[in-house]
Amino acid sequence: MIRSIPIFLSFFFLVNITGFAQNQPTILIPDVLGYKTLTADLHTHTVFSDGHVWPTIRIEEAWSEGIDIIAITDHVESTNLFRLKSVFGDDLEVDREGGFFPDRNRPFEIANEVAERRNVIAVNGVEISRTMPPGHHNAIFLTDANKVNTPHPQWKEAFQAAREQDAFIFWNHPASFHYPEATTLWWEEHTWLLDNDLMHGIEVVNGRRYNPVAHQWAMEKNLAIIANTDVHAPIGMTYALHEGEKRTMTLIFAKERSIEGIREALFARRTMAFYQDILIGHRNFLDAIFHNSIVIESVVKTDNGFQVVINNPTDVPFNLSRADGNDPSLTFFEMKRLPSGKQTTIRIYAENPATYRQIDLKVVVDNLIMAPDTGLPVTLTFIPE
Ligand SMILES: [Zn+2]
Ligand SMILES: [Zn+2]
């Protein structure tokens, strides 16, 4: 009997190491303006519609990338469901026409079973996928997703059923690949949605596609800026995570890391898009992220100017370009990248360095976008040692 104890212990350790002992990775973006910066993907699919993975996989993927929030948003109409009853078991019901349709809450419920253990917040949602207009919209924070599954022409009722559950609703991929002839058009149906409190945000980025028209609308119509993967395949088949690429995501600036905190922040429009090393958002949040990210390590006077070392410990690189209106007696870079997780040395040339007590460089951060084609202007201030 005594000999069996080490076997039991080693089994216990094995389970521990493979299942629970890893540290959760995090995405390094600073908290700003008194809010927690949370990372979210609010548009994902599973096998419950036309996705390729089981709902728990969406949570495991998020855990391994350091994503805080995942909304499971399968097409509520489930028109692409070709899966076998044998795979789904009791998760499928046979309707009057003999088609298979799942309980639309099940993908969330299944995902949610592992979410708490993985420290990921799962959100129940659906994609209301109607022909344009109004196109595709996600409704999240649902209590009963089944009620949103109205007959196809009754799309208004679908939105109203979601809103009765206090859902947050946003327009997906407004320039859809489904409707290339329409490019990005605002229809009267969208005015109706907006006027009836049935649209609160818009995907400014879907997958790797940024839509400047949607960005402009977000600004003009006070819609939350949203960025999602709309992932159908495993995330690692869609993004080169092993090469350091990050999935497209929405940054949410929340008072607390909870469903209520996320909901409050979304309705207050405190969001930002993050995709392909680019941030798209409101100027005050972009400015706060930049200034809370970089650390000026040293400012040393040299014979012909200054040598500055800047550290950027975050996961966001910053692409600086020289702006107009700088001190003409200072010579410095035309463009400079502050890579993520690295120190960068900047050289500034001046005729008489001894006379400077402070150096101000006016630059534009080209990859922090506050309006279409408009980077964030900032002033870098250096005090020589
Ligand atoms: Zn869609
Ligand atoms: Zn979708």
Side-chain angles (χ1 to χ4, degrees), residues 43 45 75 127 129 136 172-173 176-178 230:
H43 189 168
H45 294 279
H75 299 282
E127 181 166 15
S129 321
H136 292 192
N172 296 340
H173 46 74
S176 174
F177 37 82
H178 297 305
D230 196 359

